[in-house]
Amino acid sequence: MGSETRRIADDFVQLWGRLGPLWGLTPVAARVYAWLLCQGEPHDAEAIGEALGISRGAVSMGCTELLDWRLLYADRVAGSRRILYRAEADPERVVRSIMQTRKRREWDPILEHLRPWIAALRGDRSAEAARLRVRLEAIERLVTAADGLAARF
């Protein structure tokens, strides 16, 4: 990799590390993903850690997180315990995976709680219950609409 290409790749990795938390990824996982995305071939955890200056444990946790988000592939080397990691390179798949994971972690639990609460508040005729129910229904509508948009994406 040429010096200018390396500088841009390094800057990209640092930028991704700063932006990752905005999407729900840890900075280490975001840096691992960005570094692998810049590589032409899969790499093992040792190479990733060495390149990013992070511990083997941090690489392992970052890779586990990325696998859960379906942003990383782990390929076991035949006849070895060695695992090679490669990043999902299709931007559309990346965005879909991020949206699906955020939905599973955030929107689904919100709806699981809101719906029975709203139903319970319908049985309470007090002004406080009505006010809270109206507010929770507004949140439920918004999350349901966002969920529908994500499903169509």
Side-chain angles (χ1 to χ4, degrees):
M1 194 180 285
S3 64
E4 181 67 3
T5 302
R6 181 170 311 285
R7 184 191 63 76
I8 292 169
D10 290 346
D11 288 350
F12 176 72
V13 169
Q14 295 308 312
L15 173 65
W16 227 243
R18 289 191 309 272
L19 294 178
L22 299 175
W23 303 318
L25 290 170
T26 63
V28 168
R31 289 180 60 222
V32 168
Y33 173 79
W35 185 81
L36 285 168
L37 192 63
C38 293
Q39 304 307 303
E41 301 174 2
H43 290 277
D44 63 15
E46 186 175 315
I48 296 167
E50 185 177 312
L52 295 175
I54 56 178
S55 72
R56 174 80 168 75
V59 171
S60 178
M61 289 188 312
C63 288
T64 298
E65 181 180 349
L66 291 166
L67 288 166
D68 183 53
W69 284 77
R70 293 187 314 269
L71 299 176
L72 194 70
Y73 300 98
D75 303 315
R76 188 168 297 280
V77 176
S80 170
R81 292 180 46 189
R82 191 169 164 231
I83 298 173
L84 297 178
Y85 297 100
R86 58 189 168 87
E88 173 58 69
D90 180 344
E92 187 174 325
R93 283 187 179 163
V94 168
V95 170
R96 285 178 191 268
S97 291
I98 290 170
M99 290 178 68
Q100 290 168 354
T101 302
R102 300 276 317 247
K103 174 192 176 322
R104 185 180 77 238
R105 290 182 175 185
E106 299 168 24
W107 300 346
D108 292 349
I110 290 170
L111 292 174
E112 285 175 20
H113 287 85
L114 285 177
R115 289 177 176 150
W117 292 341
I118 291 167
L121 289 169
R122 283 192 182 110
D124 186 335
R125 300 291 180 207
S126 71
E128 295 85 9
R131 184 175 40 255
L132 180 56
R133 188 190 80 247
V134 166
R135 290 176 180 171
L136 294 181
E137 286 171 341
I139 294 168
E140 190 261 348
R141 280 192 305 276
L142 180 63
V143 172
T144 299
D147 193 31
L149 290 172
R152 288 192 297 273
F153 178 73

